[in-house]
Amino acid sequence: MNSYRIALLPGDGIGPECMDATRVVLDRLIAESTDLHLSFTSHDAGADYYRRTGETITRDALDDCVAANAVLLSAIGLPDVRQPDGTEVQPTMMVGLRRALNVHSAVRPVKLYPGAPCALKDTGPGIDFVVIRENLEGLFASFGGGAKVGNEVATDTLVVTRKGTSQVADFAFRLAQRRNGRPSDGKKMVTCVDKANVFRSLAFFREVFFDVAASYPDIDSSAVYVDAMSLYMVQNPWDFDVLVMENQFGDILSDLGAGIVGGLGLGPSGEIGEDHALFQPSHGTAPQLAGKNVANPLATILSAAMMLDWLGDRHNDNACLEAAVAVESAVAQILAEGDVLTPDLGGSASTTDVAQTVADRLAVASAR
Ligand code: ATP
């Protein structure tokens, strides 16, 4: 029987409330399953911690994240907490965490649940695709570097390596194998999103992508320019299954995806490497909502479901896989019912009401 230790980073702003709500759901799962064994360590880290101590995360907390089976983070950063150079602490902490965990692939599902507010008039046969963002290189490789020449010129360098691109492309094809294909016809496909017509680095990204694609003859592979992809995401998103792209393109298109299918309050994410994984909602800390019990906790709860799915797949553990399905089904159920939703989704329920209702729907599912 497997047991897993999860390192929790509740963070700043609405982060702790969304984390507490997610714990309500996870604790209910643990209480009702004899086979699911999760334990938690929680660490104070982020912008408020930096304000109090001068560091974003302690060495011990970072070591604990590396030693844990998975990391669940809520949201980090406060706009009024700045480092001496004027930048926010969030990028420093997140890039440090990503590098320490070596999580090369960021996964953002873009899935339209019945009842969720969709920004598109036409939803065709449904929306269910995944944005995979290369997470350690691309334009973000320049983080902490870059050059400023006097007061006139500044540069950052976009880095693409064969190793980094192969890892993320391979991850994309393995994910496509586990999925049901695109909504329009069930075809399993991975699309490389780039700007290969302009940049040598991104032409190389495409070249390496097709080298990896050759090992997956059962999955359709294609390439689309990033500007065209932004159009297709709003005109015919049902024609896509798995998209893979450079770091900065993924940063932008994944928020566009979240906006299409109900907003940041519904967008989960996972950052996955060979040995570690970190899960967190797509949204930030929304400081103006903090402490009011109105934040939508569903993105964090769905991120916990992705974590359970990853643990289940990695350790061949059915209890985790079933728990992941139970959480996602409970969330889908409350969205379809529509009467216990937070204000961002047009409801008037509190964060704690939503958490309790998701947990109760799990209970109903397990009593059947
Ligand atoms: P960051 O730069 O830290 O990612 P951001 O600028 O993207 O942050 P967020 O904090 O994610 O901004 O939120 C932007 C707005 O979206 C918030 O001000 C809030 O109105 C809304 N929002 C985000 N997350 C939630 C949530 N969980 N529940 C309700 N509203 C939310």
Side-chain angles (χ1 to χ4, degrees):
M1 190 185 310
N2 289 324
S3 69
Y4 310 99
R5 191 169 59 71
I6 313 301
L8 303 177
L9 299 171
D12 303 301
I14 60 172
E17 295 158 65
C18 293
M19 185 64 88
D20 288 346
T22 304
R23 277 300 298 273
V24 169
V25 176
L26 290 173
D27 288 345
R28 183 74 71 87
L29 276 173
I30 295 164
E32 296 195 349
S33 165
T34 46
D35 299 326
L36 183 67
H37 298 281
L38 303 177
S39 63
F40 304 97
T41 48
S42 183
H43 302 284
D44 196 0
D48 191 54
Y49 187 73
Y50 178 85
R51 176 158 45 200
R52 285 181 278 120
T53 67
E55 61 179 348
T56 53
I57 184 167
T58 64
R59 185 73 241 176
D60 284 354
L62 196 60
D63 288 347
D64 188 62
C65 290
V66 173
N69 292 103
V71 180
L72 183 62
L73 185 153
S74 209
I76 297 285
L78 292 171
D80 60 327
V81 178
R82 304 269 166 168
Q83 301 176 108
D85 66 359
T87 59
E88 283 193 44
V89 304
Q90 190 264 4
T92 309
M93 176 166 154
M94 287 314 303
V95 172
L97 202 52
R98 280 174 191 139
R99 287 178 180 170
L101 295 170
N102 198 20
V103 280
H104 51 66
S105 301
V107 186
R108 292 265 194 105
V110 180
K111 183 168 178 176
L112 182 63
Y113 293 95
C118 182
L120 305 183
K121 262 193 296 194
D122 181 5
T123 57
I127 301 171
D128 186 356
F129 65 92
V130 182
V131 174
I132 298 183
R133 161 185 178 187
E134 196 293 318
N135 207 33
L136 298 171
E137 309 182 342
L139 197 51
F140 283 69
S142 199
F143 181 77
K148 187 163 178 239
V149 184
N151 254 345
E152 301 300 327
V153 181
T155 59
D156 284 297
T157 306
L158 195 156
V159 177
V160 173
T161 69
R162 177 168 288 278
K163 183 177 176 204
T165 309
S166 302
Q167 279 178 327
V168 74
D170 195 65
F171 181 87
F173 281 99
R174 281 187 282 126
L175 182 69
Q177 285 179 321
R178 287 187 72 207
R179 286 172 49 85
N180 297 323
R182 63 182 184 181
S184 53
D185 59 8
K187 183 155 82 176
K188 290 178 190 273
M189 58 188 287
V190 180
T191 306
C192 175
V193 180
D194 58 44
K195 196 70 183 168
N197 51 338
V198 177
F199 296 107
R200 200 168 275 172
S201 56
L202 296 170
F204 181 57
F205 189 93
R206 182 182 287 205
E207 183 186 321
V208 176
F209 167 82
F210 280 114
D211 286 347
V212 173
S215 307
Y216 294 91
D218 51 325
I219 310 278
D220 193 82
S221 54
S222 61
V224 169
Y225 299 134
V226 65
D227 42 341
M229 194 65 226
S230 325
L231 182 79
Y232 300 152
M233 276 175 68
V234 296
Q235 284 193 336
N236 53 321
W238 42 85
D239 285 333
F240 296 92
D241 179 14
V242 176
L243 312 178
V244 62
M245 63 199 77
E246 178 274 331
N247 208 333
Q248 174 72 355
F249 290 164
D251 187 30
I252 297 166
L253 289 196
S254 52
D255 268 29
L256 173 60
I260 290 170
V261 294
L264 290 172
L266 277 182
S269 81
E271 298 177 44
I272 296 173
E274 301 307 306
D275 300 313
H276 303 285
L278 160 77
F279 299 85
Q280 62 171 327
S282 307
H283 61 72
T285 56
Q288 84 281 15
L289 304 181
K292 296 182 177 157
N293 200 19
V294 295
N296 186 350
L298 293 179
T300 316
I301 292 171
L302 287 169
S303 302
M306 285 179 73
M307 176 186 78
L308 290 165
D309 182 67
W310 178 77
L311 286 169
D313 184 49
R314 179 176 172 81
H315 300 280
N316 205 8
D317 184 339
N318 271 334
C320 284
L321 293 172
E322 283 167 15
V325 172
V327 174
E328 197 193 351
S329 307
V331 170
Q333 205 178 328
I334 76 155
L335 286 168
E337 290 165 0
D339 44 8
V340 186
L341 299 176
T342 43
D344 58 306
L345 297 180
S348 57
S350 66
T351 309
T352 44
D353 286 340
V354 170
Q356 205 57 50
T357 309
V358 173
D360 291 346
R361 294 295 178 271
L362 295 171
V364 170
S366 64
R368 278 189 190 126

